[in-house]
Amino acid sequence: MRRPSYKLRSGPPGRNFHYQPDVYSSDGSPRIRKLALPAIALAITLTAFSSSAAEARTARATVTPGPTAENASVYSEISFRGVNRSKAGHISVHGSRSGGHAFSRRGHSDGAGFSLVMKRPFETSERVIVKTRLRIPGTKGGNYKFKVENLGGPRVKRLGNAPLEAGGDVQFKSRPDLRPFTLQVRKNTGAAGHDPIFVGSKQRGSVIFDSNGKPVWFKPMRSTDFRTQKYKGKPALTWFESPTEGSGIDRATLTIANRKYRVIKQFTPGNGYAADSHEFRLTSRNTAYVTTYRTVKRNLRPIGFDKNGRVSDSIAQEVDLRTGRVIWEWHSLDHVPVKQSYANGPRRPGNPYDYFHINSIIDTPDGNVMISGRSTNAIYKISRSTGRIIWTLGGKKSDYRFGRGAAFSFQHDAEPHSGNTISLFDNADAPIADHPFADQSRAIVLKLDNRKKKATLVREFLHPQKPLSPTQANIELLGSGNWFICWGQFPFISEYTPDGDLVFDSLIRGASSVYRAYRQPWTGRPAGKVAIAVTSSDGTSNAWVSWNGDTEVRSWKSFTGPSAAALTPSDTTTRTGFETRLALPSGAAFVQVQGLDADGKTIGSTAVTRAN
């Protein structure tokens, strides 16, 4: 029901009644600009409020931060899901130290919820009391408390422009500014996929390679989790990016680009947190799962550290991409005790204790969430409605026992699949580990028996060079049924059949390691002109052409002539990779090259360029 707004036609000037849209005082009631009301208007208003209150008492909603939250940010918004903002009724927010809070109600883009956006932040280490008339799981009468906990304020901050590593050995005459790292293909059988390969490097940039390891697109940047996903139903490129000189960003950012490689969306997590590089996963709900970290103080004496020790709280968020509202948030410290960690302490003096280390978030088929905690050696199924842990797989408090070869440690990229199976990369080692748990890393698929609470090994993928990778890595199920694996700190990228046969193997050169790699369909048609450079030697001229990001040009057609206005067709040359050389006829003064697709249609062209 829409909130009423009335303008009275009778009475003296200025006696008009209406609400300031979506602005509420600390007790949750609307701020009313004019209060002079005839009796009939008052009756209508009270009837509207009574109807809204009745609807609210029967409405069921979930809320973030919820009743289990003990570590919310001082900049937290309060998100309600399952109820429209106009039907939520009376809501009030009161901090034990900061007092009553005024807020505005901001709707979510799908119409299935709204957020309370505070007019001022909460205060550190206070309890926030939220009173509603909604039916909220884990609350009594819709009222509950959550705790705010911050150390050093919000994580969002401006970052310096860290330099990129020097370019690789590859050089292009038409694009001397692009020097991507390379993918050396060592094995490529007919059983391997033919889709492009996506690799992001924190030191060098992001590259799309074709199935033979030749570059298709390169952008110098500090990036991770570079891949294709669906955004608003269309294929898009997504990546995490840290600032570098000329990047146009001053803080870690999550980016979405279209098939023309134009950035169409950039954002950071909500509630005052900084973007983290471990997960950026789009959903069909026009939302994104992202990770972030925040430092708090805890008594770490029970595990042998300081009483007021600094510890990292791993945070998962789901962000509404249209509005930027946080519609779901989960904190590791609310649900997983520090003593369940296998980490042996901070990697460097002064660093917080990274006891959990979230590295993947994904929906489960039944509408809940799966989260991987590297430092606890465990995977968690999380209730979306309450944030509570439904089950734990692995670690010190596993709800499942393991069959032979099924146990894992310091894992990455846990994903659910059909048949109650999950895939993950079993690193078996980590920089924070006292010792490796195995002599090599592997990618595995497990089947979970929820009745007997047992995990059984279904598939295991090993690399012939037996890498023991202490950081990064992922495993991807392809549409063909094959499995595509990035080996993290070891620069291998491989593909296996379901039976475990190695059908593709490659080596990354020029980048020290990559976080994840993917093989995915992609059609790119970049905007702008095709790049061209002309070289001459011993009376012979050549045109060198490239179109960074194009996947559709099959051949290049050159036009030459004595002047820019008098060009005629010269030759057609099959495309040979990122850059193609075209021999120019003797005496040509000007040249233009057009790119032709598989049907011979022109889809791009160079500028008219001098040929001598």
Side-chain angles (χ1 to χ4, degrees), residues 68-125:
T68 62
E70 295 287 324
N71 301 280
S73 166
V74 296
Y75 295 93
S76 288
E77 300 176 358
I78 303 175
S79 171
F80 293 85
R81 296 291 294 168
V83 62
N84 186 280
R85 59 180 172 173
S86 64
K87 297 181 180 181
H90 174 90
I91 301 174
S92 67
V93 179
H94 188 277
S96 59
R97 298 176 61 185
S98 57
H101 282 260
F103 52 79
S104 59
R105 299 191 189 196
R106 305 286 178 84
H108 300 158
S109 62
D110 61 0
F114 65 96
S115 295
L116 306 184
V117 181
M118 301 299 121
K119 298 300 182 182
R120 57 190 173 88
F122 299 112
E123 293 188 16
T124 300
S125 301

Side-chain angles (χ1 to χ4, degrees), residues 160 162-164 201-203 205 220-224 240-244:
L164 292 171
S201 164
K202 296 177 183 178
Q203 300 85 18
M221 57 180 171
R222 297 173 62 208
S223 65
T224 62
F240 164 91
E241 182 176 356
S242 292
T244 54

